[in-house]
């Protein structure tokens, strides 16, 4: 029975990881994509108007 207790944590983590990946893939695009793209474009426009890129120091 030791082998069962040794295999349970990796199996549980693998199932959780697969679930996380599926959620990430399913939430890409869709109705919210245009809103997210507009927010990124607005942030980039503000950064350009401020006179630099976010990585400049």
């Amino acid at each position: 029975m030791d082998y069962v207790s040794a295999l349970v944590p990796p199996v549980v983590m693998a199932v959780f990881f697969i679930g996380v990946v599926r959620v990430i893939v399913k939430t890409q695009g869709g109705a919210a994509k245009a809103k997210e793209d507009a927010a990124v474009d607005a942030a980039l426009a503000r950064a350009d108007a401020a006179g630099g890129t976010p990585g400049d120091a």
Side-chain angles (χ1 to χ4, degrees):
M1 291 303 289
D2 288 337
Y3 63 91
V4 173
S5 62
L7 289 176
V8 168
V11 170
V12 170
M13 288 191 303
V15 169
F16 178 74
F17 181 74
I18 291 169
V20 168
V21 170
R22 289 189 62 173
V23 167
I24 290 171
V25 169
K26 283 184 173 225
T27 58
Q28 297 299 311
K33 184 171 178 19
K35 184 192 293 186
E36 293 169 0
D37 288 346
V40 169
D41 289 340
L44 290 174
R46 283 194 302 270
D48 287 342
T53 58
D56 291 346

